[in-house]
Amino acid sequence: MIENFKTSEMDEIFGCKSVKIPFMGATFKEINDNVRTALFVNPDIKIVVRGLDIGKFDLESDDMRDDLGDYPTYLYDKNPFNDVKYLFNRDVVFGRVYPMIKDHFNGFAPGITSFDEYSRWQDLYPFGIGAVHPEQIFTTWNGESEHLNDEDKAVIVKNITENVVSIAEEYPDVDFYYFYTPYSAIWWLDLYNSGRLERQLEAEKLVTELILPHDNIKLFSLNNRTDITTDINNYEDPDHYGEWVNSLILRSMYDGKYQLTRENYEQYIQEEKDFYLNFDYESLNGQVDYEDDYQAAEVLMD
């Protein structure tokens, strides 16, 4: 999830000139198609930073978001003529272009949004347990666990092979920085209560094993930074975190912290399993919302 990333931070930390292209709620295929297009038309790209949504490992490899109407595939093909569907779109012309022209002639700067602010939702939602899970938290797991079967594994392998690692194989001179999105303990609570937690960890292990053999992919995870995931003041819902977490992810990737390797990934998965299977989820009922969202940032950075 990159909506709250700041390209100014990326540029300063990595010494580059970056752009931010969020695809909110997108599948792995949608994001990968966009990455492939970017690399095709911009041969000078050297770094790609991408979040791997841990809740979407087992989507079909060709799944695309369909809840917003017809997918605008014409924007991503190589045919310039069908772009008229965008250029002469009523919302684009009257909702975007016209107000900018009007502002210009009225002496105002047109509505150009910086990449730091583009798609940033940080100030739109409340954070904390009161917003994420206002009801009383109960654990109801009956002790039975689901596990991946062969069909599940085949789906995951196809999704990750086609939409995550193949692009790195096609562009061996590009460095791909992938990170597992650090969801909150409330998200893990749902897995725990449904008996699907071990299945999720088996999927994560499989995905990790598919990624690690590629030398130009650097894979990171903060899922074991449980001081983050169990402090619900870092979240506005079970899986969307504050921009201070995005800042920490950028700095950590540059510093090589929380990187998964062939040598440490099995220990990482085991620690993840030990924690989320044994965590006292009901203890979250006692959390207090911070008066200021940025208190969470101050606590995290201390």
Side-chain angles (χ1 to χ4, degrees):
M1 300 172 186
I2 67 170
E3 290 94 346
N4 284 338
F5 273 135
K6 295 179 179 179
T7 55
S8 60
E9 289 185 346
M10 174 74 184
D11 296 349
E12 179 182 357
I13 293 171
F14 282 83
C16 64
K17 182 64 176 177
S18 60
V19 298
K20 179 174 70 175
I21 310 177
F23 276 56
M24 186 177 295
T27 65
F28 281 16
K29 173 177 171 53
E30 292 169 53
I31 295 172
N32 196 63
D33 286 351
N34 181 64
V35 172
R36 177 170 279 106
T37 299
L39 290 169
F40 177 79
V41 299
N42 297 281
D44 293 332
I45 291 177
K46 299 301 181 185
I47 297 174
V48 173
V49 174
R50 174 181 174 183
L52 299 180
D53 193 323
I54 62 174
K56 296 179 179 176
F57 290 153
D58 58 355
L59 291 182
E60 296 287 345
S61 63
D62 58 354
D63 275 358
M64 301 180 77
R65 190 173 180 183
D66 60 4
D67 60 319
L68 299 176
D70 293 336
Y71 198 89
T73 53
Y74 54 84
L75 288 176
Y76 308 105
D77 61 23
K78 298 179 177 64
N79 179 5
F81 299 105
N82 62 13
D83 291 347
V84 295
K85 297 178 182 179
Y86 171 79
L87 296 173
F88 296 102
N89 178 279
R90 177 182 294 272
D91 177 64
V92 172
V93 174
F94 295 103
R96 313 286 178 165
V97 177
Y98 174 71
M100 291 175 67
I101 295 175
K102 184 179 178 181
D103 285 346
H104 174 73
F105 282 104
N106 287 333
F108 300 105
I112 305 299
T113 303
S114 73
F115 277 118
D116 279 5
E117 293 298 320
Y118 172 58
S119 287
R120 177 180 178 269
W121 48 258
Q122 172 69 37
D123 300 327
L124 300 179
Y125 304 100
F127 283 64
I129 193 70
V132 176
H133 200 293
E135 305 87 10
Q136 187 79 2
I137 293 172
F138 297 101
T139 51
T140 58
W141 181 43
N142 64 9
E144 297 181 2
S145 294
E146 291 185 23
H147 298 275
L148 293 179
N149 58 37
D150 290 341
E151 183 178 347
D152 296 330
K153 293 176 183 178
V155 169
I156 293 171
V157 168
K158 195 169 190 295
N159 189 25
I160 301 305
T161 299
E162 293 183 4
N163 298 317
V164 176
V165 301
S166 65
I167 193 73
E169 295 169 351
E170 294 171 31
Y171 292 89
D173 295 328
V174 176
D175 289 325
F176 293 83
Y177 286 77
Y178 292 156
F179 65 94
Y180 292 148
T181 49
Y183 289 172
S184 76
I186 297 296
W187 184 84
W188 289 95
L189 168 67
D190 180 62
L191 290 177
Y192 179 87
N193 281 339
S194 64
R196 293 181 289 113
L197 197 152
E198 290 192 72
R199 183 186 185 278
Q200 171 67 31
L201 293 175
E202 290 166 1
E204 187 175 340
K205 183 173 185 289
L206 176 57
V207 171
T208 303
E209 291 172 343
L210 291 168
I211 292 175
L212 288 183
H214 298 80
D215 291 336
N216 61 328
I217 300 178
K218 297 177 175 62
L219 178 63
F220 299 82
S221 177
L222 274 70
N223 282 336
N224 284 349
R225 275 293 304 267
T226 55
D227 59 322
I228 297 174
T229 61
T230 62
D231 184 351
I232 312 305
N233 286 289
N234 290 314
Y235 296 87
E236 66 91 5
D237 68 14
D239 49 359
H240 288 86
Y241 39 83
E243 63 183 10
W244 48 86
V245 179
N246 292 83
S247 298
L248 180 63
I249 290 171
L250 277 180
R251 173 56 65 182
S252 298
M253 289 193 297
Y254 181 78
D255 292 340
K257 296 180 66 176
Y258 316 117
Q259 183 173 357
L260 302 184
T261 66
R262 294 180 179 91
E263 292 73 32
N264 70 14
Y265 84 94
E266 290 183 296
Q267 179 182 349
Y268 155 80
I269 294 289
Q270 186 60 53
E271 290 175 356
E272 198 176 19
K273 179 178 179 179
D274 291 343
F275 182 83
Y276 290 105
L277 273 180
N278 296 289
F279 177 62
D280 179 8
Y281 292 96
E282 294 185 6
S283 68
L284 298 174
N285 287 313
Q287 282 203 5
V288 177
D289 292 343
Y290 293 146
E291 294 181 4
D292 186 333
D293 289 343
Y294 288 92
Q295 281 185 264
E298 293 171 0
V299 171
L300 182 60
M301 296 305 175
D302 281 346

